Amino acid sequence: MSQDGLNRRGFLEIVAGGALTGLLAPPSQTDKARPKGLYVERGTLMRAGRPYRGIGANYFDLFYRLLRNPSDSSSLANLRRLAQHGIPFVRFMCGGFWPSEQSLYLKKPAEFFARLDWVVDTAERCGVGLIPSLFWNYSTVPDLMGEPMQAYGDPKSRTNAYIHQFTKQVVTRYRGSEAIWGWEFGNEYNLTADLPNASEHRPPVVPTLGTPTSRSARDELHWSDIQVALETFAHTVRLYDPQRILLTGNAIPRPSAYHNLHDHTWQLDTAAQFETILQRDNPNPFNTICIHLYRDSKNIYPGGAKNPGEVVALANQVAQKTRKPLVIEEFGISRQEGTPAQQRVLFQEFLDVFSRYGVPLAAFWVFDFAAQDADWNVTFDNDRAFMIEMAAACSQAEAQAKASVQEGPFNGGVGR
């Protein structure tokens, strides 16, 4: 604890003194030549001057494995295999899950970024896009900075100073890379906000992994806290990368999110209330509508929807109204939902819904994550490998359709 304390105290001194500035990449002329990665143009998701649609994968362990064990490069080898099989992009956790794992950034920042360089360099070489999620676990940064969760809501907190500095370093280091497709804040922070039973859902206490020894009411998040942190992240990104897409990383709102906020009950929200919360969860300057979507065993979905297809229809209406592309960063079918043949049918239903509503970007959960072998893991060698093939086939079919339109007699653009 004493060493962590020294790191926290020294963090602001490091920022103020510029000791980490050597890790910041200088601006290059090519940055201004054309947009890199994914960007939004008049409400349409674009890549390399054309509208883009694709199905990728969540690769939670891509960097995490290297962060924990730099001698284990299996995730890089598997990233190359994904590229060979036609998966166009992956979303990954860009840091440690626990404070003790992320402390490498404070103690040995050059080593931290050397390992992240391996990921970006590999993606560049094999042509896979990357969507890094910079602050995946909502309790990691406040714990690392020795502050409660509500420090997210204080613009002058060490937590927000850390968000600014880490974001600045990552963005300036990799903004010149064609492999970076977009920037994500974190994973599903919206699900932690304003819960009626918040005291039962405080972050875990695991001191051996860098958490405090106890929690309090100040560790119960409100949306107003999260909003400040999102602003810190988004405005920092836009200082150094004005074009790539910004994603909150938020899940589909809870079916009672509006009532959680306003009257602290579990009453189900109406479609209008769902729209209000979905827009709140993806505020400007975030230029996408980000959701995570899974089948619910009780068929309880937000906005009065009765199935995932109706959820996508509602979310797509908000996307069109706000002129922000709909991004389904997570979707999937677990082993518990049936045999492999039944899982294949349900997976195809998701893909059909995405096609029906023109969802430009989606990623299945989850590739090469042994911790979830029992339910969600998809590998090249297990009985769920068909999901890789199906996702790749969708992306390849979309690319071929675009190519045929571009080569048509009028050389017209792709539109829906």
Side-chain angles (χ1 to χ4, degrees):
M1 289 298 289
S2 61
Q3 182 61 51
D4 286 344
L6 285 172
N7 283 327
R8 287 196 296 266
R9 287 195 296 272
F11 176 71
L12 294 181
E13 295 175 8
I14 290 172
V15 174
L20 299 179
T21 54
L23 297 171
L24 305 183
S28 67
Q29 293 301 315
T30 57
D31 287 342
K32 301 178 182 179
R34 63 178 175 82
K36 291 181 171 65
L38 299 175
Y39 57 99
V40 178
E41 199 170 86
R42 294 186 295 276
T44 298
L45 188 69
M46 305 286 290
R47 180 170 182 257
R50 299 181 183 181
Y52 182 81
R53 287 187 64 210
I55 308 291
N58 276 275
Y59 199 167
F60 177 86
D61 250 3
L62 175 59
F63 177 52
Y64 192 35
R65 193 173 298 167
L66 287 166
L67 188 61
R68 290 178 295 173
N69 181 8
S71 65
D72 184 357
S73 61
S74 59
S75 63
L76 302 182
N78 282 332
L79 184 66
R80 289 189 286 268
R81 289 189 70 185
L82 284 177
Q84 293 165 1
H85 283 75
I87 295 297
F89 74 94
V90 298
R91 170 183 179 246
F92 71 100
M93 181 172 67
C94 190
F97 187 87
W98 297 100
S100 60
E101 296 163 342
Q102 185 62 13
S103 65
L104 179 66
Y105 165 71
L106 294 180
K107 296 174 181 177
K108 298 180 180 179
E111 176 62 24
F112 178 94
F113 281 108
R115 299 182 199 183
L116 189 52
D117 287 348
W118 297 343
V119 172
V120 177
D121 291 347
T122 300
E124 287 178 351
R125 292 192 184 97
C126 63
V128 173
L130 299 174
I131 296 180
S133 182
L134 271 62
F135 308 103
W136 185 282
N137 180 26
Y138 80 103
S139 60
T140 301
V141 175
D143 284 353
L144 195 62
M145 293 291 99
E147 297 181 319
M149 298 303 107
Q150 291 179 10
Y152 278 122
D154 179 2
K156 297 180 180 180
S157 67
R158 293 190 298 275
T159 293
N160 273 287
Y162 181 101
I163 291 172
H164 169 77
Q165 181 67 14
F166 185 71
T167 301
K168 177 181 178 180
Q169 287 188 265
V170 172
V171 172
T172 56
R173 189 177 185 89
Y174 301 114
R175 63 186 170 184
S177 173
E178 294 286 353
I180 301 297
W181 278 21
W183 306 107
E184 180 190 305
F185 173 68
N187 186 59
E188 300 183 344
Y189 280 53
N190 63 322
L191 298 184
T192 69
D194 301 302
L195 297 177
N197 55 347
S199 63
E200 301 172 17
H201 296 281
R202 293 169 185 169
V205 173
V206 191
T208 56
L209 294 175
T211 76
T213 57
S214 63
R215 301 291 187 184
S216 72
R218 294 191 65 200
D219 291 302
E220 299 168 11
L221 274 176
H222 304 288
W223 176 255
S224 56
D225 301 320
I226 298 169
Q227 185 174 10
V228 174
L230 288 173
E231 290 172 355
T232 299
F233 168 77
H235 290 307
T236 302
V237 173
R238 282 294 178 249
L239 284 174
Y240 306 105
D241 185 346
Q243 296 172 316
R244 282 187 180 87
I245 58 169
L246 288 173
L247 306 109
T248 60
N250 282 329
I252 196 76
R254 292 183 183 276
S256 302
Y258 183 92
H259 287 89
N260 290 170
L261 173 65
H262 290 286
D263 51 33
H264 304 292
T265 70
W266 294 105
Q267 182 177 334
L268 297 178
D269 298 341
T270 66
Q273 291 166 342
F274 165 76
E275 176 181 335
T276 297
I277 293 296
L278 187 58
Q279 290 194 47
R280 180 206 71 172
D281 287 356
N282 297 274
N284 293 329
F286 289 90
N287 55 354
T288 58
I289 296 294
C290 180
I291 65 172
H292 301 171
L293 183 62
Y294 297 93
R295 289 163 49 87
D296 184 82
S297 60
K298 298 179 180 179
N299 285 326
I300 299 177
Y301 297 97
K306 295 179 176 59
N307 54 59
E310 292 186 6
V311 175
V312 173
L314 289 173
N316 195 50
Q317 290 176 6
V318 177
Q320 292 178 341
K321 181 176 181 179
T322 59
R323 297 180 67 80
K324 296 181 178 183
L326 177 61
V327 178
I328 302 179
E329 284 195 307
E330 290 183 19
F331 76 95
I333 303 296
S334 77
R335 289 185 179 278
Q336 283 66 43
E337 295 181 70
T339 65
Q342 291 170 324
Q343 294 170 41
R344 181 187 289 268
V345 170
L346 294 174
F347 194 82
Q348 185 62 54
E349 287 180 3
F350 268 117
L351 299 180
D352 291 343
V353 167
F354 300 160
S355 178
R356 184 182 315 139
Y357 292 102
V359 175
L361 206 69
F364 70 82
W365 182 267
V366 55
F367 174 71
D368 185 26
F369 188 32
Q372 294 188 357
D373 273 340
D375 40 23
W376 296 103
N377 196 21
V378 177
T379 73
F380 287 108
D381 303 314
N382 70 10
D383 59 358
R384 291 160 57 84
F386 63 85
M387 296 185 187
I388 300 172
E389 300 169 2
M390 293 171 73
C394 283
S395 297
Q396 290 164 356
E398 185 66 26
Q400 291 169 0
K402 285 184 171 62
S404 65
V405 171
Q406 291 293 326
E407 294 169 2
F410 301 105
N411 195 30
V414 176
R416 289 186 293 273

